Amino acid sequence: MNKKIALTWIAGTSLALSMIVGGCSTESTDTAAGTSKNENGEELTTFSYFIFDPGDNVPEHTKIGDMIEQKTGVKIKYERLVGEKEQKVGVMIAGGDYPDLINTDQTVKFEDANALIPLEELIEQHAPNIKRIYGPYWERLKAADGHIYALPQVAPTGTPIKGISAAFWIQKEVLKDAGYPKIATFDQYVDVLRAYYKKYPQIDGADTIPFEILTYDNRNFTLTTAMQFLAGGPNDSRAIVDPVANKLAFYQTDENITKRYYAKLHEMYREGMIDKEAFVMNYEQYLAKLSSGRVLGMFDQKWQFQTALDSLKQQGKANRMFVPLQLTFDEGIQPDYLDVPSMNYNMGFSITINAKDPVAAIKYADYMASEEGQLLRNWGVAGEDYTVSDTGRFYRNQEQRDFFADPKNGLKTTGNILWYWPGSSGTMVDGNSYQQYQQPEEIAAGYDEMDKELLKAYGATTYEELFDGPNLNRKYFPLWSIELTEKNKVFNQKLNDINKKFPPQMVVAKNADDFEKYWNEYVASVEKLDVEGWLDELTAKVKDRQENW
Amino acid sequence: MSVTVERVKKHAGIKKSRSKWSKLRSQKALMAMSIPFVVYVIIFAYLPLYGWMMAFQNYKLGSAMLDNEWVGLANFRELFQDENFTRVIRNTLAMSLINLVFGFVSSIGLALMLNEVRKIIFKRIVQTVSYLPHFLSWVVAANLIMNVLSIDGAVNKVLVSLHIIKEPIMWLSEQHYFWWIIGASNVWKEIGWSAIIYLAAMTTIDPSLYEAASIDGAGRFRKIRHITLPGIRSIIVILLIMNIGHILDAGFEQQYLLQTPMVVDYSETIDIFVLKYGINLSRFSFATAAGIFKTVISVVLLLAANRMAKRMGQERLF
């Protein structure tokens, strides 16, 4: 071969190689704190903020974002999760390549890697607003080593919000057709669904689905934890806690709870009342079915099917939208559906060791937590994004509501990202809600004629009123937020696998004997695991929270 | 390799009697050219092996590699003793074999048929249509497949209208269909793409062979059997050897996205198992142990296949 050609080749390859290697090393400088200039030529401190939640890319400039930048002299570069969360956490920690600020529910992993700086002194010295908001929960925020590493999304204050999330849902049309009966037990619920199904076997030309169940991937908790609510438990998952006696009951193999529920579902399935495809469809197919308006009811968390509600509304099928019910097995059981206002500890806003200027970072977070900052990021600019009534109540007029109904406008105004900063939930001193979507005026504005008629029939003005309040004895709440040891995390995963496999088989079993057989196999598989060890750890940790919080 | 060396020698006018040193010197251009690639392989294939130590430790994220507690073979023991392990290996092997056989047969078949097509436009269209699915991500492909296989999906509609089945079948709820669905969807997605390499190999066959065969009175199928197939034999064998090395990589996305609660016993592959019990729970040591296990098995299989090919006098990797 010609020598010249060979030499060109070598030069070319090594150049390419050096670019690859060089490219790797320059990448890390992007995330470190740097400076840029604002319009007036002042130096701006820049922080990178990684949010471990997927979502729209945040524009470089947003209306509210730029206003806050002018006030604080700090610029935030947001980056959102793409792909698998656990993997991203692992890669970030293994490489030691942290952004300045992060917001994650995987805080413990970062703590273990010594990637976060303790916040308590910074807060005491530089962040009076954060101290005011999170002060009442100070001890709870502390990690095992006594330091505070993460500030949860929002801390409850004033009159707590009453959000309905987990519930048995039913179509408005079904309730209307039945003449707004009082439905308190699961059996009554099934009877109402059945009556409607018999009357209207088809909706809009497609077969009616009386009861739908989602089991795709980890979303199968709608099948495996629904019965805890019927037995009077809250959204704890897998164990029902008696907060007074501090006792935990593992109900997943309980004949009077879990078996009773699956047996009822089995009957319903044989009767044709449960979607045949319930156990083979994926999440998209589930949403598509709910959006078609032919599903009469299901158990689910509202955030999981919000898209279907939006779609029904857009299609003009408001009568096919769902309303929540709090059901129990028997009338005597006290329902406990609403979450105790609390925070998800071990998650939220953290400052990493890579942040060059932690004081500036906490000051910025403190501005976001101030009344002014919270008003700006939750409600926007008075007169532009919301209106203040003569009596001082905040609301959005129809024009403003229509504007924000389009997520694109939200993206331009706030970047749909500003709720990832410390702040409050509940009401302000003047009685307005911090979160715009929690303001009673805004909730009521979301109701249509049918909602109003329905609520009137039940003698309430909001759906929340139809639900019993949360049990405030549950200081530990929620159980699933308790961080377990590795051994019991493996237990959880194994139980997940068992719960994925057997319950669907019980529901679709050919006959009662078959059901019995699968139930026994299920119980046997669960009993092979160390249930006691898992309960012991949780009991100790619940006791600790109940006593020390 | 040896041909190139001979050619270089001839070019440089070197006689065989020269010493090894001068032989090395005479090849310095060649060697210099290979250095970047050796460096590349060392950086990206050998240095990461350092991380294998993790498998013998109780590794904690973010700590220095040598600071961790050494636990010997505990992670491997846990892996082999897990009751799910044999099931997962069974599924992996079964799906891999199905994919291997289906993949080879279908893509060679397609290539043979396309090679016989004389209408260029038709050939182009078939080729384009058959290799396009290769560029779909499995997320999109899985959604398509799930919709096509649902109760009111296309497959059931066609089968019912042809009176092959009476009632629509829930394809994804039957455990025993799952492996075949994976195999079939793999064929659909990859058939055109893997046929390309065989088509390329076929173009190297000397046309005079076909002419001679025609004169001797060979028909179309005889020509395929005695000229085309032997002509691409070496490619087939090499690809087979390489694929056997990947037999424990039955895939991950495909099974993860298509599995339903009804088929978990047959859908879980070793990669899904490692994701669930290793990476998702931050048990990196456990995940590494599984990775080492997979690598060792793959190397053994690869060497065995290569040796087998050598024995049978076929083309081989090395």
Side-chain angles (χ1 to χ4, degrees), chain B residues 1 39 59 82 87 127-128 152 192 194 213 238 241 277 297:
Chain B
M1 195 60 182
V39 170
Y59 178 74
D82 197 295
R87 191 167 58 82
Q127 251 187 300
T128 311
D152 41 12
S194 28
I238 292 225
I241 295 173
Y277 287 94
I297 299 283

Side-chain angles (χ1 to χ4, degrees), chain A residues 230-525:
Chain A
L230 295 179
N235 191 13
D236 265 340
S237 123
R238 286 183 183 165
I240 296 177
V241 183
D242 177 345
V244 183
N246 189 28
K247 276 226 168 81
L248 269 69
F250 180 73
Y251 66 87
Q252 299 267 273
T253 49
D254 192 322
E255 303 232 333
N256 294 321
I257 300 175
T258 303
K259 191 179 180 188
R260 181 172 173 184
Y261 183 62
Y262 289 152
K264 180 80 185 175
L265 290 182
H266 170 63
E267 267 173 43
M268 289 164 69
Y269 187 85
R270 298 253 60 91
E271 212 186 312
M273 282 191 62
I274 291 177
D275 184 10
K276 269 197 200 135
E277 285 187 296
F279 308 120
V280 297
M281 66 185 169
N282 63 19
Y283 182 48
E284 276 74 26
Q285 288 170 310
Y286 171 78
L287 288 180
K289 282 191 184 185
L290 295 193
S291 309
S292 72
R294 63 197 179 103
V295 174
L296 305 184
M298 71 279 168
F299 172 86
D300 204 349
Q301 305 258 356
K302 192 178 184 187
W303 48 263
Q304 197 154 247
F305 64 94
Q306 184 64 48
T307 359
L309 290 180
D310 296 344
S311 159
L312 283 168
K313 197 167 195 176
Q314 262 181 3
Q315 297 171 56
K317 291 183 182 172
N319 61 330
R320 298 290 176 199
M321 284 166 72
F322 299 92
V323 296
L325 297 172
Q326 51 167 3
L327 304 178
T328 52
F329 277 124
D330 303 301
E331 301 244 9
I333 299 172
Q334 168 86 23
D336 195 349
Y337 278 68
L338 297 191
D339 288 355
V340 180
S342 72
M343 304 183 282
N344 290 322
Y345 310 102
N346 289 325
M347 64 182 283
F349 167 81
S350 307
I351 303 179
T352 72
I353 47 171
N354 276 13
K356 295 256 162 53
D357 190 353
V359 174
I362 202 77
K363 279 186 173 160
Y364 183 84
D366 192 60
Y367 174 77
M368 294 303 246
S370 68
E371 293 288 312
E372 183 188 318
Q374 293 204 63
L375 216 56
L376 259 184
R377 60 199 175 97
N378 286 322
W379 282 90
V381 180
E384 280 178 36
D385 303 310
Y386 69 101
T387 322
V388 185
S389 77
D390 301 339
T391 53
R393 296 294 294 173
F394 297 170
Y395 67 97
R396 278 187 177 155
N397 61 31
Q398 204 47 48
E399 199 186 325
Q400 288 157 344
R401 276 175 200 138
D402 291 344
F403 180 78
F404 283 103
D406 184 353
K408 274 192 214 115
N409 291 328
L411 206 60
K412 273 186 248 164
T413 315
T414 63
N416 291 339
I417 194 95
L418 298 179
W419 54 76
Y420 289 101
W421 287 97
S424 324
S425 66
T427 55
M428 303 177 210
V429 183
D430 62 8
N432 285 303
S433 298
Y434 277 104
Q435 273 80 20
Q436 157 274 325
Y437 55 87
Q438 298 290 356
Q439 183 83 331
E441 283 88 337
E442 292 304 297
I443 294 176
Y447 292 156
D448 54 35
E449 287 312 309
M450 206 163 176
D451 285 304
K452 286 176 194 155
E453 186 189 327
L454 193 151
L455 285 166
K456 206 174 146 203
Y458 288 109
T461 50
T462 63
Y463 288 105
E464 283 77 8
E465 276 177 41
L466 294 172
F467 275 60
D468 287 51
N471 180 351
L472 296 175
N473 281 331
R474 302 185 186 278
K475 283 197 250 172
Y476 71 88
F477 189 84
L479 193 63
W480 52 262
S481 75
I482 293 177
E483 184 74 22
L484 295 167
T485 53
E486 187 182 301
K487 183 178 140 264
N488 284 323
K489 278 186 191 162
V490 175
F491 169 93
N492 261 341
Q493 182 59 49
K494 292 210 157 152
L495 188 61
N496 264 351
D497 282 354
I498 294 171
N499 266 341
K500 200 174 207 177
K501 180 174 158 189
F502 289 103
Q505 283 176 334
M506 285 182 239
V507 177
V508 305
K510 284 188 196 71
N511 49 45
D513 289 344
D514 231 28
F515 173 83
E516 211 50 49
K517 188 189 101 197
Y518 284 126
W519 170 260
N520 290 333
E521 276 179 35
Y522 171 66
V523 174
S525 311

